[in-house]
Amino acid sequence: MSNTATQIPYKIYLREDQMPAAWYNLRADMKTKPAPLLNPGTGKPMTEQELSNVFCQELARQELDGETRYIPIPDEIRNFYRMYRPSPLVRAYCLEKKLKTPAHIYYKFEGNNTSGSHKLNSAIAQAYYAKQQGLKGVTTETGAGQWGTALSMACSYLGLDCKVFMVKVSYQQKPFRREVMRTYGAEAVPSPSDTTAVGREILARYPDTTGSLGCAISEAVEAALSQPGYRYVLGSVLNQVLLHQSVIGLETKTALDEYGIKPDLVIGCAGGGSNLGGLIAPFMGERLQGKSDCRFLAVEPASCPSLTRGVFAYDFADTGRVCPLAKMYTLGSDFIPAPNHAGGLRYHGMSPILSQLYHDGFLEAVSVPQREVFQAAETFARVEGILPAPESAHAIKAAIDEALRCRDSGEAKTIVFGLTGTGYFDLVAYQRFHDGEMTDEIPSDEALARSLKKLPRV
Ligand SMILES: *Cc1c(COP(=O)(O)O)cnc(C)c1O
């Protein structure tokens, strides 16, 4: 490292004209591509035609495009990005000092917009293509509420209807997120609901269920298919979402390149994999081309450990089994994680792109219990000032652990992590942590084996 620490500012801000003009499609540089989505009826790969019954046409195309390396970002989307991008890359000097580590720590902060997370990067893209196609509106699910909020903002900006099936437990526990969505004109429905056939069926079978993402997805898909002029959109997992989120990584790389910095380790929390997939994209591209030996680490909650304890197999993307089958690390589509406080990390499967990279040894993964995560969140908030989302704090926890290893070994590694959002809507969780009421929920091997027994045979 030729730079002395003092030459690098606390925040590296890019100019607007340094924002990426195109998304980077990591699949183009993967030798082993992620496996195709399969039609659950025929077992054959989904065609663009089939996908476009559910998704917008252009998004169906992006989903299937494993070859085009750069896909231009339409001007209207770039203009929207200008409201809150480029986002800052922060050198965590205060955290380094606190940890007495020789490591250099950077974080890319995506919480600088009203939705409070990176999800807006894909929400505006998906809403834009729906509008382009002349659709009336979109339906979706939301767990913790960040995706629903982001999509509401994007839809109100473009004048589209937005119907959000919100996992019931979050709908009840997070009334404020609901109100943000309503402020942006979206309709929020607690899921499972009696407004869809699949919701009614799940309610009949499990009357006390507090809902799950898998179930809300089934309802949202059904709602889109049963109304002309509507399509379904999804905030994570899919190839198209990782594509849009590549703006995070592209900006990070431009900022680091300005100072000649090469990361040794890039860390991100992983729910469905979109922020991590976007953050690592250009760095992983270099690694796949043999131009770098940067390491990559996915951090997941011990309560929902799809990479570290799941299996790599075709599975249903949703509880109602209406979506295409995806080959991914999965805990089984029936798996309902304990109600941990990182709602954005409660999906049973992982992005097919990240799953393939993990399977091929390019990505590492670790799972962490939630009390240690909140401890890390608090340490971070006290020195860096930002109140992190519980999801983001998973990445903080792993970055701190690595920085402490550097302290012991004396290595001055460069660590970059994704700070995906802020935690203002998660203060009940912080309260539980401070009051000593938080527990670590770790599923038993038997519980995982039970849900994995129901994987589809492909
Ligand atoms: C949704 C969310 C995540 C997890 O989703 P990914 O698709 O894995 O990125 C992480 N952090 C925040 C703040 C979120 O809202």
Side-chain angles (χ1 to χ4, degrees), residues 138-438:
V138 291
T139 68
T140 196
E141 76 296 325
T142 197
Q146 289 97 313
W147 168 244
T149 311
L151 190 67
S152 309
M153 290 176 69
C155 285
S156 73
Y157 180 74
L158 294 168
L160 281 171
D161 276 0
C162 178
K163 182 164 187 170
V164 182
F165 289 87
M166 186 170 186
V167 176
K168 192 182 277 172
V169 63
S170 305
Y171 185 90
Q172 289 161 347
Q173 286 178 355
K174 299 197 169 184
F176 296 141
R177 277 241 177 252
R178 210 168 73 201
E179 287 319 307
V180 183
M181 286 186 244
R182 289 174 63 192
T183 301
Y184 285 95
E187 182 190 353
V189 182
S191 165
S193 76
D194 59 9
T195 67
T196 64
V198 64
R200 287 190 292 274
E201 197 182 308
I202 291 168
L203 279 174
R205 261 166 60 206
Y206 311 101
D208 298 326
T209 182
T210 51
S212 70
L213 268 181
C215 166
I217 293 173
S218 303
E219 288 207 86
V221 171
E222 183 185 321
L225 290 175
S226 59
Q227 293 174 87
Y230 283 77
R231 289 293 186 282
Y232 166 71
V233 294
L234 177 62
S236 184
V237 185
L238 296 173
N239 299 334
Q240 54 184 283
V241 183
L242 271 73
L243 174 72
H244 305 148
Q245 295 295 357
S246 68
V247 290
I248 304 173
L250 292 166
E251 284 183 9
T252 302
K253 187 158 189 320
T254 303
L256 291 175
D257 283 349
E258 290 220 322
Y259 292 89
I261 303 162
K262 298 255 176 256
D264 297 302
L265 175 63
V266 183
I267 301 173
C269 62
S274 73
N275 87 83
L276 178 62
L279 173 64
I280 67 176
F283 303 102
M284 180 63 88
E286 289 190 336
R287 164 108 180 248
L288 295 176
Q289 293 165 37
K291 294 183 195 156
S292 123
D293 49 13
C294 183
R295 289 172 50 217
F296 304 94
L297 180 65
V299 190
E300 50 186 21
S303 57
C304 194
S306 46
L307 286 172
T308 49
R309 293 178 68 198
V311 298
F312 189 37
Y314 269 104
D315 194 9
F316 298 101
D318 61 320
T319 316
R321 306 182 167 191
V322 294
C323 290
L325 300 173
K327 188 171 181 194
M328 56 187 178
Y329 276 85
T330 179
L331 299 168
S333 63
D334 274 0
F335 180 76
I336 297 191
N340 69 54
H341 291 292
L345 306 180
R346 297 186 68 216
Y347 186 63
H348 66 271
M350 184 58 64
S351 131
I353 292 177
L354 291 189
S355 291
Q356 191 65 50
L357 291 168
Y358 180 65
H359 191 69
D360 293 342
F362 293 110
L363 173 68
E364 300 161 45
V366 63
S367 75
V368 287
Q370 70 176 343
R371 279 182 293 193
E372 289 176 29
V373 167
F374 276 83
Q375 189 63 59
E378 194 179 85
T379 301
F380 179 83
R382 288 182 185 183
V383 291
E384 291 289 325
I386 297 171
L387 181 76
E391 292 89 349
S392 322
H394 286 70
I396 297 174
K397 162 69 182 152
I400 289 179
D401 285 351
E402 183 69 19
L404 292 176
R405 276 192 289 275
C406 288
R407 180 177 70 189
D408 296 340
S409 68
E411 283 173 287
K413 280 189 192 165
T414 297
I415 301 169
V416 175
F417 72 88
L419 190 70
T420 50
T422 47
Y424 300 113
F425 289 106
D426 301 283
L427 290 170
V428 171
Y430 275 92
Q431 182 183 20
R432 296 247 161 82
F433 173 68
H434 293 138
D435 290 346
E437 288 168 4
M438 185 171 276

Side-chain angles (χ1 to χ4, degrees), residues 85-97:
R85 310 202 68 84
S87 70
L89 182 71
V90 185
R91 172 76 184 265
Y93 283 119
C94 302
L95 182 63
E96 291 170 18
K97 193 168 154 210

